Structures are given as structure tokens and as C-alpha cells.
Amino acid sequence: MKLVALTGGIGCGKTTVLEEFQKLGVPCFVADQVAGRYYDDPAFVAEVVNLFGKDVLQKDGSADKRAIARIVFNDAHALKKLNALIHPRVWDDFKLFAESHTDRPYVIFESAITYEYGFDKMVDKVICVYLEKEERLRRLELRDKVSRTELEARMRNQWKAEEKMMRADFVILNYEGNPRKRQVAFVHNKLVDMCD
């Protein structure tokens, strides 16, 4: 069984591409969703408070994810510390996920920071979902109701989409009207052939 990463810049439409792989029966692990659950663990929240102080807590004692995001997306050192806390756990969870699907030719690990964190060195192949920056910003402004300034701060903490695209084994161009389903089917068939 192969381990395949799916990545791309924030707002490129990784989720819609992932849905196409899921329709083909490919087990897909979404790193952000799994990492989001860690914030329900009091021990993890205590570690986050230890890093950033009590200002990242809401009145009920739960983690204030927006406050954490404001800190880490404006401070590369803080982001690095948070990633060091989260991503080893994420990878351990992914390994368990992969082990539960050994009957499949491959599994997908979806993470926006596949290259930034070095996950690309832990998988067999990388798929990059590409969409140019202006269109990503437009989509994100509509979806997240967040200012362009805040979105650009997040983007600065990721590699440029073009650099990810150049390094990837496969690229899916995710423009409206582009044959997304056909591109996914092509990549899927190539990966299945590699696993035979």
C-alpha cells in the first residue's frame, strides 16, 4: 500500500478534490480535522496554554482557536512551536489510519503544509491541487468572512502554490469548469497501477 499526500495552498479547493477521491473508494485522512479534535483534550489545551498563555482560553476554559490563529499567523516562531506540538501527533494518527486500510492500494493524507512540515519525505507520492492566488483569496473571503490582510498573513506561512506544484508528482488544476473528476480519475488510475 502506498501513502499519498494531497496538498495545495489555502483556498485551492483541496476538500472538493478529496471528495472525488472518496467517491472512488480511497480512504482519506484530513490532517486539519484530526488536529482540530486535539483541542477537546484538556491535556493538549494545557500544553497550548503553556506555550501562549491564558489569553488563548475562552471564559469556559476551552481553547480560543481564533486567538491562537491570530498569534501564530503573525509570528513564524509561534507557528513553529504549535506545529511541533500538533504534527507528530497527526502523523501518529495517520499511521494508525493507514494500518486500518492495508486492503486498499493507497491512502491519502491531506495537509496544506505537506512540504512546509516535511510530510512529503514520509509519503510515496504527492498530489498538488492548484489554483492561482487571486481566485483563492476571492473564494476565502466569501467562505470564511475574513479580511484579505488576515488571509494574506496565513498565506505567507505557506510555500507559494507554484513551488508546491513544481515539486509534486501530480497536479490537479482546480478552476471552475475544469474537468476535476476526470483529473482525479487519471491520477487515481496512475496510483493504482503503481501499486500493482
Side-chain angles (χ1 to χ4, degrees), residues 12 16 130-131 135 138-139 173-180:
C12 68
T16 55
Y130 179 79
L131 187 64
E135 179 60 15
R138 188 189 69 77
R139 287 183 183 185
L173 302 174
N174 202 24
Y175 294 96
E176 288 304 321
N178 229 32
R180 182 187 306 126

Side-chain angles (χ1 to χ4, degrees), residues 60-173:
D60 65 359
S62 64
D64 183 343
K65 292 181 189 173
R66 288 198 89 130
I68 295 165
R70 275 193 300 274
I71 292 168
V72 299
F73 290 123
N74 290 296
D75 181 341
H77 184 63
L79 180 61
K80 194 171 184 178
K81 286 201 268 189
L82 183 64
N83 283 341
L85 192 62
I86 292 175
H87 294 300
R89 285 183 168 114
V90 168
W91 188 254
D92 287 344
D93 284 341
F94 173 64
K95 285 193 293 187
L96 292 172
F97 175 85
E99 285 164 15
S100 69
H101 294 288
T102 52
D103 59 324
R104 304 299 175 87
Y106 69 97
V107 294
I108 289 180
F109 174 82
E110 186 269 309
S111 172
I113 59 167
T114 293
Y115 289 109
E116 292 86 339
Y117 197 72
F119 289 128
D120 59 305
K121 295 174 183 69
M122 303 179 205
V123 297
D124 300 294
K125 297 290 176 186
V126 177
I127 303 164
C128 177
V129 180
Y130 179 79
L131 187 64
E132 60 91 28
K133 183 180 175 183
E134 273 308 308
E135 179 60 15
R136 288 189 289 132
L137 282 165
R138 188 189 69 77
R139 287 183 183 185
L140 287 164
E141 283 177 311
L142 290 172
R143 185 190 79 186
D144 296 350
K145 309 289 187 253
V146 176
S147 74
R148 186 165 279 235
T149 305
E150 197 172 331
L151 291 169
E152 287 182 334
R154 289 184 197 177
M155 286 182 174
R156 278 194 296 276
N157 288 297
Q158 294 183 359
W159 285 17
K160 288 195 181 329
E162 291 76 13
E163 190 171 353
K164 293 181 183 194
M165 184 173 68
M166 294 297 288
R167 289 178 179 240
D169 299 290
F170 302 100
V171 176
I172 292 174
L173 302 174

Side-chain angles (χ1 to χ4, degrees), residues 15 17-30 184:
T15 302
V17 170
L18 210 61
E19 285 166 1
E20 293 297 335
F21 279 102
Q22 288 170 322
K23 287 176 192 171
L24 295 170
V26 179
C28 298
F29 178 97
V30 181
V184 168

Side-chain angles (χ1 to χ4, degrees), residues 14 45 52 54 121 134 150 158 196:
K14 293 182 296 299
V45 172
F52 304 125
K54 291 188 175 174
K121 295 174 183 69
E134 273 308 308
E150 197 172 331
Q158 294 183 359
D196 286 344

